[in-house]
Amino acid sequence: MSEEMEAPRSGAASQNQPLDMEFVRAQFPPLDNGWAFFENAGGSYVPRQVIDRMTTYMSETQVQPGAAYGPSASAFERVDGARRLMADMINAREEEIVIGPSTTLNVYVLANALRPLFHEGDEIVVTNQDHEANGGAWRRLSEFGMVIREWEVDSVTGELDPADLDELLSEKTRLVCFPHVSNLVGSLNDVELITRKAHDAGAWVCVDGVAYAPHRRMDVKAWDVDFYLFSYYKVYGPHIACLYGKRGAMTAARNQNHFFFGEESVPQKINPGGMMHEAVAALQGVADYLDGIYWHHERGNVRDAAMLFQSRLIKVSNLFAAHEENISKPLVDYLLTRKDVRLLGRATSDGSARVPTFSFTVEGKSSAEIVAGLHRKNIAVNNHHFYAKRLLDAVGIDAEDGVVRASMVHYTSPGDVTRLVEALHAVLK
Ligand SMILES: Cc1ncc(COP(=O)(O)O)c(C=O)c1O
C-alpha cells in the first residue's frame, strides 16, 4: 500500500456481507440472454458504465485529443482521466502504465525493448505453464544469443513449484517470466515469493496477470514486480490491455516508438502506435462500475473523498473473492465425486489457493463432445488448449481436443452453477 493511502475502514462491506447479486447482474446487459456464461476466462461481459462511457466519447469527443479547442481538450481529459484511474487501480504511477492493444502485443513490444539490454549468454527463465503470450516473445530472444531456461510444471497437476526455480537461477539470469495464475490451472502462484527469488539472483520479473486480474485487487508495489501485464477485456472493459513497468525498468527499456520520442519519454516510447482513445476513455466505466459496487455496499458510511480508488478496491476484491469461493464449491464437489474426471490445479474452491477457472477432462469422452452437449443446454463453455499448448503437452492432454474450461467471475450466480452441474451430470451419464 502506498504511503498516502488510508487503511480501509471497517464498514458495511465487512467480510461477512454477501455481494448483492441482483445489483451486480443488473449492470451487465448480456446476462439476460438465456445462456449460463462460463467463458469468462476468454473475456468478461462489460457493464453498462463501460458501454455508456464509450458511446459518450464517440458521440461527443471523437477528435484528436490534446489541442486547445473545446472537444479536443475534453477528449484529452477523458483519456487521461481514465489512464490515471487505471494506474491507481493497480497502485502504479501514471507514467508506469502503457495501455496497448493486447497483452500479446504488449509483451512483444516489451521483449523488443529489453533485447538491447541483454547480452549473448544471458539467461531468461520462462515456464511451460504460461499462455504463449508471455512465452513466445521471450523464447524468440534465443535468436539473439539469449539462453532460455524452462521452469516446468508438475506433470499431474499442472502447477509450478517455486522450489524448482532455485536451480534455474544464477548470476546469468536477467529475467524470470511467469503467470500469476495460469488461464487453465487456476492455482495462485506466489508472486511475492517468486519475485523475491528472482531479485535475489539479480533478475527482473515479467508477470502475466491476465488470469488473475478479474478476480482480485492488483498491487504492483506491494508485490514489487518489475513488469506486470493484464487485459482489460477480461476485467469488464474493452478489448485493450495494460503493461505496468517500474519507472526505472521502463526508462532502461529502449524506445520502440518514433525517433523523436527520447529515452526519457515513458511510457510513450513503449507504446508504438499510441492508444485507442475511445476504448481507453471507456475504462473510466470500469472504475465507475467497481466504485459503484463499493458505494452500494457501503451506503451506510459517510463518503470519504480522500480515499483513493485503490483503497476502495480492497473491499470490492474481498466481496468478489468470498462470492467466487461460495459459487465454486458445488462445481468442485461435483467434479470430485467423479472418478472419471481429471481436474487441473488445486481440487478445492478455496479462494486463497485458486481462482474459479476450472479445466478438466473426462475419461472416455472427448472434451469437444462434452462442450457440444453443454451448448445444447445453453451453457456457454469451450474446449481448447486456449494458447497454453505447452502446458497441455506437459501434462499429457491432447492439446487439440484440449480441456473443458468452465470459468466464473463475481457476476456468476449460484443458479448458473446449478445449471452447469446439472447439465454436466446429464451429459456425462
Ligand atoms: C493468461 C493469459 N495471458 C495472456 C493472454 C493474451 O491476452 P491478449 O488477448 O490480450 O493478448 C490471455 C488470453 O486469453 C490469457 O488468458
Side-chain angles (χ1 to χ4, degrees):
M1 204 186 280
S2 66
E3 280 166 24
E4 71 272 20
M5 215 186 277
E6 291 184 31
R9 295 167 297 167
S10 61
S14 66
Q15 302 278 355
N16 300 326
Q17 184 191 23
L19 186 63
D20 181 343
M21 288 307 284
E22 203 179 322
F23 175 79
V24 164
R25 286 176 71 90
Q27 319 293 323
F28 292 90
L31 285 173
D32 281 343
N33 67 9
W35 287 84
F37 187 58
F38 288 95
E39 254 283 88
N40 295 289
S44 58
Y45 286 155
V46 291
R48 292 178 199 287
Q49 292 85 342
V50 170
I51 300 165
D52 289 349
R53 289 279 179 182
M54 192 177 294
T55 305
T56 303
Y57 185 90
M58 296 185 88
S59 313
E60 298 174 1
T61 53
Q62 188 75 12
V63 295
Q64 187 61 17
Y69 64 91
S72 179
S74 302
F76 178 83
E77 187 35 49
R78 284 174 176 173
V79 172
D80 201 50
R83 275 193 87 262
R84 283 197 301 272
L85 277 168
M86 291 302 103
D88 188 5
M89 177 167 150
I90 62 171
N91 198 14
R93 289 190 279 168
E94 234 188 294
E95 69 273 18
E96 292 175 316
I97 66 164
V98 166
I99 301 185
S102 68
T103 292
T104 306
L105 206 58
N106 285 347
V107 176
Y108 182 86
V109 173
L110 181 64
N112 283 285
L114 295 186
R115 179 164 64 77
L117 308 185
F118 300 147
H119 302 104
E120 204 166 324
D122 282 351
E123 295 184 0
I124 298 181
V125 175
V126 295
T127 79
N128 59 357
Q129 193 187 54
D130 269 283
H131 182 288
E132 197 61 16
N134 195 31
W138 302 119
R139 289 170 192 265
R140 282 200 192 105
L141 296 189
S142 64
E143 293 164 21
F144 301 90
M146 300 290 301
V147 176
I148 307 300
R149 311 258 272 148
E150 191 177 80
W151 178 11
E152 291 177 13
V153 293
D154 179 280
S155 62
V156 176
T157 63
E159 295 185 316
L160 288 170
D161 182 351
D164 294 342
L165 178 59
D166 298 340
E167 64 204 40
L168 296 171
L169 295 172
S170 74
E171 70 286 352
K172 291 187 184 155
T173 315
R174 304 297 306 278
L175 186 67
V176 177
C177 308
F178 66 96
H180 198 163
V181 169
S182 142
N183 59 326
L184 301 190
V185 177
S187 307
L188 296 167
N189 291 322
D190 188 338
V191 73
E192 281 181 81
L193 172 70
I194 298 165
T195 300
R196 242 186 348 261
K197 282 176 186 263
H199 286 173
D200 287 349
W204 279 340
V205 295
C206 178
V207 186
D208 178 348
V210 173
Y212 176 89
H215 306 285
R216 304 280 194 284
R217 185 181 65 100
M218 292 167 277
D219 188 338
V220 292
K221 295 296 179 214
W223 299 329
D224 198 27
V225 289
D226 304 287
F227 298 105
Y228 193 89
L229 300 108
F230 66 98
S231 305
Y232 290 112
Y233 71 94
K234 318 235 189 199
V235 190
Y236 323 112
H239 210 291
I240 49 177
C242 178
L243 159 63
Y244 159 82
K246 271 184 190 165
R247 172 76 208 217
M250 290 285 240
T251 307
R254 294 292 160 76
N255 181 20
Q256 301 299 300
N257 209 332
H258 306 306
F259 77 91
F260 45 81
F261 287 98
E263 293 297 349
E264 289 301 316
S265 295
V266 174
Q268 292 84 350
K269 71 174 191 181
I270 313 295
N271 202 3
M275 291 180 280
M276 185 180 174
H277 297 138
E278 64 275 25
V280 176
L283 291 173
Q284 167 86 53
V286 174
D288 297 341
Y289 169 66
L290 296 174
D291 247 350
I293 303 248
Y294 178 84
W295 292 117
H296 178 75
H297 292 83
E298 282 286 322
R299 55 189 180 272
N301 278 355
V302 178
R303 188 166 181 145
D304 183 350
M307 192 186 221
L308 293 178
F309 178 43
Q310 165 79 193
S311 300
R312 292 195 287 277
L313 289 178
I314 294 171
K315 289 197 172 171
V316 176
S317 179
N318 288 341
L319 285 166
F320 287 4
H323 175 77
E324 289 180 1
E325 183 170 316
N326 284 342
I327 56 169
S328 300
K329 193 166 181 328
L331 177 64
V332 174
D333 287 350
Y334 174 69
L335 293 175
L336 287 177
T337 63
R338 299 201 61 107
K339 298 267 175 294
D340 53 353
V341 166
R342 177 181 180 194
L343 175 66
L344 291 180
R346 311 272 165 91
T348 175
S349 51
D350 180 355
S352 65
R354 63 144 57 244
V355 300
T357 297
F358 299 99
S359 299
F360 56 91
T361 53
V362 181
E363 209 179 311
K365 285 210 185 305
S366 76
S367 296
E369 74 182 291
I370 296 167
V371 162
L374 292 172
H375 288 175
R376 283 193 288 277
K377 295 178 181 297
N378 274 22
I379 309 289
V381 289
N382 203 3
N383 66 294
H384 198 234
H385 55 68
F386 300 101
Y387 291 12
K389 184 172 184 308
R390 293 176 202 274
L391 169 62
L392 290 195
D393 290 344
V395 296
I397 292 175
D398 168 21
E400 282 321 303
D401 188 42
V403 286
V404 180
R405 184 176 70 179
S407 53
M408 313 173 191
V409 290
H410 68 280
Y411 56 63
T412 308
S413 70
D416 286 337
V417 180
T418 304
R419 279 174 66 188
L420 170 64
V421 169
E422 286 176 1
L424 201 51
H425 190 57
V427 168
L428 297 186
K429 262 195 187 142

